[in-house]
């Protein structure tokens, strides 16, 4: 017996088991903690052996029931239910989704938040104190009317939130733009006529702070991993100085990064340092390429 | 709280009722059958067949042996609960809108509709609480409602009074023995019908629901309004819970307007109010149509609601329901506990 087992190669074990159609007898083990383990074997549709291990603990729960109620539970079913078996019949009885019901004095407040969204009136109320925000420069105008729309790509939402300092400057610029554009009152101005009214503003725009920042302290990072997050980039670049803006281009549908990002520093010298150190940095299996952002054509 | 959905009916529910032990739930709807369910798991015990029209109302005697039902086929029928056997049929000139057993089960009242030249009446029948006994054909008493028809009615404590709610929003008190009209008090707004009347466990006070969007708690003895529960929708039903001092109101947009309103605006929710403080403490959603009837388990473990959508939903309360207390209630509880402790210490 012992020799036979020695000869037997362990690698064949698996195969042997599969070919044998005999099923081991079910086992019942009583555990120390009072539970019972039941191991059963069966063959599934593909002829494969399936081992089912169940651990069961029996708890005797005693309940004192009204004898009349107990008697009624043993009544035979009748009428349309006469043929139903014991227990609730699935065609007449089902269980609904869980309802959280907790009585409270201010349930109305709790409930309001839920009911608000689909309600148009509530939506209006919500938007009442919302301000128009430009996706490009965070200014208080529509993105389509942004003075910088030709020069910059829209910034990501997370980046925009962090971009406190830059947007403050933008708002100042936007305000001046706003006074210039106030006369138009939102009416359409053909491109040919736009130059005349906005000449001064355009001139200001070219030499504005935004352009300066773009030129001097913004790095373009390419070969960024698809899985990258803005916060990660921010963390990486913050080592070299104060980062005012991080923009990671993301695909609108999939939410994955497109592979490039812009990092704006408060100080140009920090940007130079970062450019030198981070170029060729390995990040998420890819080697980053960092260079100064070129002004858009 | 996971509701149990009972889909035994094909049309709108009209009334649901627990038996006194709270283990059986009876439901009737505008289709022509009565269903009985086990309240704890929603298993259907059986159905009762024989009615030829929409069934408006149902009641079960206190010993859970006999069932009474009133229908649009102008009959009141008695059934043996255990087997579904039809025991007795009484014919009336018009539809029966409400039946109710007296506290001891020896009498049954029925409210008949005003129609086809017949005035609305409240009839009283003698009942022998034995499935094999011959029930008498005689009506013990007939109360004719000349002014405004009764829509709901019930027996007060010890069968002393018959209380009726009327179509014009008033509530009447009749003598339970001879049927004399003792009081008729306008309780709800004029010409807003009272849609439901359910008793407290001892039948000394009752709750009404009305289309005037309020529900009121009223004493049986002198029809004094104790509490008013305002809602923002016409109410179809109201019930008083046991164990906790709550009331449950059910209602919603009138059934004929349902298709023109969204489910959210329809307010198809069961509303919970505190019985004593009269403030709303929560709502339970789930039905797709107005709630036609709500019933509270006499043991305080659950409540059920039946809707225009044809579903009955049984809700077994969970811990949060029992734990909720107003500050004053909690203080009182603490005080009582302290007193109890002191008593045990001194003893």
């Amino acid at each position: 017996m012992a020799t036979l087992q020695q000869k037997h190669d362990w690698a064949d074990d698996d195969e042997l088991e599969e070919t044998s159609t005999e099923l081991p007898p079910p086992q019942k083990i009583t555990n120390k903690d009072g539970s019972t383990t039941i191991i059963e074997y069966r063959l599934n549709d593909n002829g494969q052996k399936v081992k089912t291990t169940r651990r069961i603990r029996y708890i005797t729960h005693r309940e004192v029931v009204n004898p009349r109620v107990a008697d009624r539970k043993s009544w035979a079913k009748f009428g349309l239910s006469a043929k139903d078996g014991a227990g609730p019949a699935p065609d007449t009885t089902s269980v609904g989704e869980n309802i959280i019901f907790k009585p409270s004095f201010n349930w109305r407040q709790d409930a309001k938040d839920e009911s608000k969204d689909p309600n148009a009136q509530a939506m209006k109320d919500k938007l009442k104190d919302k301000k128009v925000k430009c996706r490009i420069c965070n200014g208080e105008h529509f993105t389509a009317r942004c003075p910088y729309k030709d020069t910059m790509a829209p910034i990501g939402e997370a980046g925009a939130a962090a971009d406190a300092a830059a947007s403050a400057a933008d708002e100042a610029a936007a305000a001046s733009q706003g006074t210039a554009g106030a006369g138009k009152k939102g009416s359409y101005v053909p491109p040919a006529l736009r130059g005349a009214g906005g000449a001064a503003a355009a001139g200001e725009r070219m030499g504005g702070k935004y352009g300066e920042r773009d030129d001097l302290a913004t790095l373009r990072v390419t070969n960024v991993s698809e899985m990258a997050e803005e916060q990660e980039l921010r963390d990486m670049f913050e080592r070299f100085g104060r980062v005012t803006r991080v923009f990671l281009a993301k695909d609108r549908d999939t939410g994955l990064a497109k592979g490039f990002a812009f990092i704006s520093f408060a100080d140009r010298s920090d940007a130079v340092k970062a450019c030198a150190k981070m170029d060729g940095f390995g990040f998420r299996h890819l080697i980053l390429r960092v260079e100064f952002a070129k002004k858009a054509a | 709280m996971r509701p149990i959905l009972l889909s035994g009916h094909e049309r709108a529910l009209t009334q649901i009722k627990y038996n006194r032990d709270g283990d059986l739930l009876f439901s009737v709807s505008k289709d022509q059958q009565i269903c009985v369910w086990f309240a704890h798991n929603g298993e259907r015990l059986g159905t009762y067949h024989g009615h030829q029209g929409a069934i408006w109302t149902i009641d079960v005697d206190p010993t859970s042996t006999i069932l009474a039902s009133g229908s649009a086929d102008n009959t009141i029928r008695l059934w043996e609960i255990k087997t579904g056997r039809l025991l007795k049929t009484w014919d009336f000139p018009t539809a029966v809108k409400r039946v109710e057993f007296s506290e001891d089960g020896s009498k049954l009242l029925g409210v008949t509709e005003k129609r086809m030249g017949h005035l609305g009446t409240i009839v009283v029948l003698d009942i022998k609480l034995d499935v094999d006994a011959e029930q008498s054909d005689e009506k013990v008493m007939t109360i004719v409602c000349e002014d405004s028809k009764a829509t709901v009615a019930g027996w007060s404590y010890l069968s002393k009074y018959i209380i009726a709610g009327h179509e014009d929003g008033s509530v009447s008190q009749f003598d339970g023995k001879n049927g004399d009209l003792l009081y008729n008090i306008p309780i709800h707004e004029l010409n807003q019908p009272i849609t439901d009347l359910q008793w407290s466990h001892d039948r000394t006070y009752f709750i009404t629901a009305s289309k005037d969007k309020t529900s009121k708690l009223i004493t049986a003895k002198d029809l004094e309004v104790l509490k008013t529960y305002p809602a923002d929708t016409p109410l179809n039903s109201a019930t008083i819970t046991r164990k906790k001092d709550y009331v449950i109101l059910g209602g919603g947009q009138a059934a004929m307007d349902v298709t023109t309103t969204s489910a959210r605006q329809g307010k198809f929710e069961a509303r919970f109010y505190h019985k004593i403080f009269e403030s709303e403490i929560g709502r339970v959603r789930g039905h797709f149509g107005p709630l036609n009837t709500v019933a509270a388990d006499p043991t305080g473990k659950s409540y059920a609601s039946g809707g225009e959508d044809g579903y009955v939903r049984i809700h077994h309360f969970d811990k949060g329901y029992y734990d909720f207390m107003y500050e004053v209630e909690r203080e009182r509880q603490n005080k009582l506990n302290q007193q109890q402790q002191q008593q045990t210490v001194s003893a």
Side-chain angles (χ1 to χ4, degrees):
Chain A
M1 184 76 187
T3 50
L4 201 140
Q5 233 166 12
Q6 268 172 1
K7 265 186 194 169
H8 177 67
D9 188 4
W10 61 269
D12 299 336
D13 244 6
D14 213 5
E15 222 166 283
L16 269 176
E17 256 181 78
E18 260 178 41
T19 49
S20 74
T21 49
E22 241 174 75
L23 293 175
Q27 278 181 293
K28 214 171 188 181
I29 306 157
T30 310
N31 299 327
K32 273 179 193 162
D33 60 348
S35 63
T36 317
T37 306
I38 299 171
I39 303 168
E40 284 172 332
Y41 298 89
R42 65 183 170 85
L43 290 172
N44 68 3
D45 297 341
N46 300 333
Q48 290 162 321
K49 195 154 64 182
V50 178
K51 178 181 173 188
T52 315
T53 309
R54 290 181 295 171
R55 210 167 143 195
I56 297 169
R57 184 197 297 274
Y58 292 100
I59 298 170
T60 314
H61 177 72
R62 273 180 194 285
E63 198 178 343
V64 179
V65 192
N66 186 330
R68 294 188 301 272
V69 174
D71 175 50
R72 283 197 281 268
K73 275 185 188 160
S74 63
W75 282 2
K77 293 184 178 181
F78 56 91
L80 290 178
S81 288
K83 284 178 191 139
D84 293 353
D91 59 330
T92 54
T93 308
S94 54
V95 178
E97 59 185 271
N98 200 14
I99 295 173
I100 295 161
F101 175 61
K102 235 183 155 187
S104 73
F105 321 102
N106 48 0
W107 69 273
R108 227 175 269 271
Q109 283 174 5
D110 305 342
K112 235 177 204 166
D113 299 332
E114 287 174 35
S115 62
K116 224 168 183 179
D117 298 319
N119 203 324
Q121 185 54 43
M123 196 66 183
K124 260 185 203 166
D125 293 344
K126 240 188 201 171
L127 288 174
K128 220 175 243 172
D129 45 25
K130 271 263 167 75
K131 279 175 187 153
V132 174
K133 198 166 137 194
C134 171
R135 265 183 288 127
I136 296 173
C137 70
N138 277 354
E140 280 184 52
H141 49 247
F142 290 111
T143 309
R145 302 186 148 270
C146 181
Y148 310 123
K149 71 173 170 190
D150 302 326
T151 51
M152 278 298 286
I155 50 173
E157 249 126 70
D163 194 9
S167 70
D170 284 346
E171 263 162 49
S176 67
Q177 170 69 11
T179 50
K184 293 177 199 165
K185 282 204 169 167
S187 58
Y188 175 74
V189 179
L193 295 178
R194 275 177 205 166
E204 207 173 303
R205 176 173 61 194
M206 298 314 283
K209 194 164 189 277
Y210 183 82
E212 212 171 286
R213 180 188 68 186
D214 195 27
D215 268 349
L216 295 176
T218 300
L219 297 176
R220 189 177 72 161
V221 185
T222 49
N223 204 25
V224 181
S225 161
E226 270 191 343
M227 315 296 280
E229 293 291 334
E230 264 174 14
Q231 193 53 45
E232 289 175 315
L233 293 172
R234 180 171 282 274
D235 291 343
M236 284 195 306
F237 283 90
E238 232 156 26
R239 278 177 262 168
F240 305 98
R242 207 166 74 79
V243 174
T244 55
R245 194 182 72 116
V246 176
F247 168 70
L248 177 67
K250 279 186 179 165
D251 191 286
R252 208 180 277 263
D253 297 323
T254 61
L256 292 174
K258 275 182 173 170
F260 68 94
F262 290 98
I263 317 281
S264 299
F265 281 89
D267 199 343
R268 189 179 155 83
S269 58
D270 292 337
V272 174
K273 239 190 295 173
C275 184
K277 290 274 183 193
M278 294 303 286
D279 194 17
F281 183 80
F283 170 62
R284 293 218 173 195
H285 309 295
L286 292 175
I287 293 169
L288 295 183
R289 182 176 155 78
V290 181
E291 60 201 339
F292 271 87
K294 288 171 204 129
K295 206 193 265 183
Chain B
M1 187 159 84
R2 246 177 210 289
I4 304 171
L5 273 70
L6 311 181
S7 45
H9 294 286
E10 283 159 13
R11 291 195 59 200
L13 270 290
T14 49
Q15 197 174 19
I16 53 175
K17 207 117 190 187
Y18 281 96
N19 68 340
R20 185 177 275 189
D21 296 320
D23 63 321
L24 296 179
L25 180 72
F26 297 87
S27 63
V28 286
S29 83
K30 289 178 186 172
D31 64 9
Q32 296 161 11
Q33 60 178 1
I34 305 166
C35 291
V36 54
W37 314 81
F38 285 111
H40 69 104
N41 64 354
E43 183 179 350
R44 185 162 74 178
L45 173 62
T47 54
Y48 304 83
H49 296 271
H51 274 297
Q52 304 292 316
I55 307 171
W56 290 113
T57 175
I58 195 163
D59 198 21
V60 50
D61 86 286
T63 61
S64 304
T65 47
I66 287 179
L67 188 68
S69 59
S71 159
D73 64 0
N74 305 349
T75 60
I76 290 180
R77 288 173 200 243
L78 282 193
W79 311 84
E80 186 186 1
I81 291 178
K82 188 176 179 177
T83 59
R85 180 160 62 102
L86 177 64
L87 301 177
K88 174 80 187 164
T89 306
W90 286 277
D91 278 301
F92 294 92
T94 56
V96 181
K97 293 304 284 275
R98 184 57 79 121
V99 290
E100 192 173 296
F101 280 102
S102 62
E103 209 172 9
D104 57 356
S106 65
K107 287 195 180 101
L108 180 77
L109 71 73
V111 177
T112 63
E113 183 73 276
K114 175 184 180 178
R115 193 167 289 155
M116 299 180 286
H118 296 278
L119 286 170
T121 61
I122 301 171
V123 293
V124 177
L125 303 160
D126 258 334
I127 300 292
K128 294 185 194 76
L129 277 185
D130 182 359
V131 289
D132 297 320
E134 184 77 22
Q135 305 286 350
S136 84
D137 281 322
E138 288 295 302
K139 287 162 201 151
V140 182
M141 190 162 74
T142 305
I143 302 167
V144 180
C145 304
E146 275 159 14
D147 292 338
S148 174
K149 72 169 186 196
T151 49
V152 288
W155 295 94
S156 79
Y157 57 96
L158 307 172
S159 311
K160 199 170 176 189
Y161 308 114
I162 292 172
I163 307 288
H166 293 272
E167 200 182 22
D168 65 355
S170 66
V171 173
S172 316
Q173 187 192 55
F174 299 96
D175 190 296
K177 295 222 164 55
N178 53 28
D180 291 344
L181 176 66
L182 303 174
Y183 291 110
N184 179 285
I185 298 176
I187 299 268
H188 286 280
E189 269 175 42
L190 188 64
N191 291 333
Q192 296 288 338
I194 293 174
T195 47
D196 198 13
L197 185 157
Q198 293 195 27
W199 290 96
S200 67
H201 67 286
D202 59 0
R203 297 198 185 224
T204 55
Y205 61 94
F206 57 92
I207 191 167
T208 59
S210 166
K211 290 285 183 195
D212 74 352
K213 304 183 180 179
T214 61
S215 171
K216 297 192 189 216
L217 208 65
I218 304 165
T219 58
K221 197 178 171 193
D222 37 21
L223 300 187
E224 183 195 343
V225 176
L226 299 173
K227 302 284 173 191
T228 301
Y229 311 101
D232 53 357
T233 178
L235 295 175
N236 293 332
S237 189
T239 188
I240 302 166
T241 61
R242 294 295 304 274
K243 289 211 171 144
K244 295 295 285 184
D245 285 327
Y246 303 147
V247 297
I248 309 169
L249 313 185
Q253 214 74 40
M256 59 192 296
D257 301 330
V258 164
T259 49
T260 58
T261 43
S262 77
R264 195 171 294 280
Q265 286 177 334
K267 308 180 176 102
F268 309 138
E269 295 152 318
R271 295 125 199 280
F272 282 71
Y273 286 70
H274 197 281
K275 186 167 79 182
I276 293 152
F277 300 111
E278 298 176 298
S279 59
E280 192 169 352
I281 50 171
R283 289 186 186 182
V284 174
R285 255 188 267 173
H287 280 285
F288 300 110
L291 276 72
N292 286 344
T293 172
V294 289
D297 180 353
T299 57
K301 276 186 250 172
S302 66
Y303 90 93
S305 55
E308 188 73 19
D309 58 2
Y311 281 99
V312 178
R313 297 168 74 94
I314 306 179
H315 306 74
H316 288 269
F317 298 123
D318 42 29
K319 196 165 172 293
Y321 169 86
Y322 296 106
D323 286 350
F324 175 73
M325 258 191 243
Y326 273 71
E327 204 53 53
V328 281
E329 286 180 293
R330 190 159 285 134
E331 275 167 21
R332 181 165 165 272
Q333 189 71 42
N334 291 344
K335 211 178 273 175
L336 286 175
N337 287 347
Q338 275 177 0
Q339 277 175 3
Q340 227 165 28
Q341 276 178 352
Q342 278 168 359
Q343 274 172 3
T344 51
V345 165
S346 62

